[in-house]
């Protein structure tokens, strides 16, 4: 298994002693952060924004999807974005464990998707778990989605929610930790 397959499988990785992590994954992190920096310092109305997004996603971002700078994406190779997705400004995505954002998803300002966590007994060890945001879901402003979470189709995550458990389809959750509020009608 290569480093990305290992990370997406949830394997523990020692960031200091794992050679493949410290070379391959570190290089992708630097590439992604460098492109994000250029995106974040380009005027928002500039046509160069789309070119930089294409560079960041290596041509994989559908033309129908929009990401609004500024943003921080640590490993764009690990992030898949579907058709007709809108991601507002201030997006933070630690995508090492794999993030899939399906068609028609909307993500509010300053939302964060985090796929990594440290081992509490050895902070140099990292574990990654994927995040999946299913078709038509809506993530509110400043919501945080933690490692290993699936947000169900048509679900709504309220602004400021901290999602620690899967969100069933067609439900609304909110709070810290996020709790069921009601079904989407």
């Amino acid at each position: 298994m290569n480093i990305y397959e290992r990370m997406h499988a949830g394997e523990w990785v020692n960031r200091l002693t794992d050679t493949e992590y410290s070379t391959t994954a570190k290089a992708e992190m630097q590439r992604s952060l460098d492109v994000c920096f250029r995106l974040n310092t380009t005027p928002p109305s500039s046509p160069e924004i789309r070119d930089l997004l294409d560079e960041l996603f290596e041509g994989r971002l559908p033309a129908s999807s929009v990401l609004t700078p500024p943003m921080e994406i640590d490993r764009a190779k690990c992030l898949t974005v579907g058709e007709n997705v809108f991601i507002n400004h201030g997006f933070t995505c630690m995508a090492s464990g794999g993030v899939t954002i399906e068609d028609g998803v909307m993500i509010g300002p300053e939302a964060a998707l985090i796929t990594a966590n440290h081992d509490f007994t050895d902070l140099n060890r990292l574990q990654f778990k994927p995040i999946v945001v299913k078709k038509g879901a809506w993530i509110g402003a400043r919501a945080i989605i933690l490692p290993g979470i699936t947000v169900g189709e048509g679900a709504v995550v309220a602004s400021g929610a901290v999602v620690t458990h899967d969100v069933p389809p067609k439900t609304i959750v909110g709070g810290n930790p996020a709790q069921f509020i009601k079904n989407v009608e």
Side-chain angles (χ1 to χ4, degrees):
M1 264 198 251
N2 71 33
I3 188 64
Y4 295 113
E5 292 167 333
R6 289 171 44 218
M7 290 190 304
H8 297 179
E11 183 177 308
W12 284 101
V13 175
N14 188 310
R15 66 185 182 89
L16 298 179
T17 60
D18 188 293
T19 304
E20 193 176 16
Y21 180 84
S22 64
T23 56
T24 304
K26 188 174 182 180
E28 170 56 13
M29 177 183 266
Q30 194 60 60
R31 184 196 73 82
S32 294
L33 294 178
D34 286 348
V35 177
C36 283
F37 176 83
R38 292 181 14 236
L39 268 162
N40 296 341
T41 57
T42 299
S45 60
S46 172
E48 187 181 356
I49 293 290
R50 188 62 202 201
D51 293 338
L52 288 166
L53 286 169
D54 286 339
E55 180 181 343
L56 180 64
F57 286 93
E58 299 175 316
R60 297 178 295 109
L61 183 67
S64 63
S65 292
V66 175
L67 281 83
T68 306
M71 68 189 75
E72 292 296 328
I73 300 171
D74 70 345
R75 291 183 177 92
K77 284 185 188 297
C78 300
L79 173 57
T80 301
V81 176
E83 296 282 347
N84 299 306
V85 169
F86 179 78
I87 301 175
N88 216 322
H89 67 275
F91 180 59
T92 298
C93 186
M94 295 180 68
S96 300
V99 172
T100 301
I101 299 172
E102 293 185 356
D103 298 345
V105 168
M106 295 183 65
I107 299 179
E110 299 180 12
L113 279 63
I114 313 295
T115 65
N117 201 357
H118 292 268
D119 181 343
F120 298 128
T121 64
D122 179 357
L123 296 180
N124 291 314
R125 283 174 35 121
L126 297 169
Q127 186 175 41
F128 306 91
K129 293 182 181 175
I131 292 173
V132 178
V133 183
K134 295 287 196 173
K135 184 177 179 180
W138 179 14
I139 310 297
R142 294 191 174 169
I144 300 171
I145 312 297
L146 294 176
I149 301 299
T150 296
V151 176
E153 187 170 329
V156 176
V157 175
S159 294
V162 178
V163 181
T164 60
H165 297 286
D166 288 350
V167 178
K170 303 280 187 192
T171 61
I172 300 171
V173 300
N176 180 6
Q179 302 289 322
F180 174 81
I181 295 174
K182 68 179 189 174
N183 290 314
V184 175
E185 298 175 12

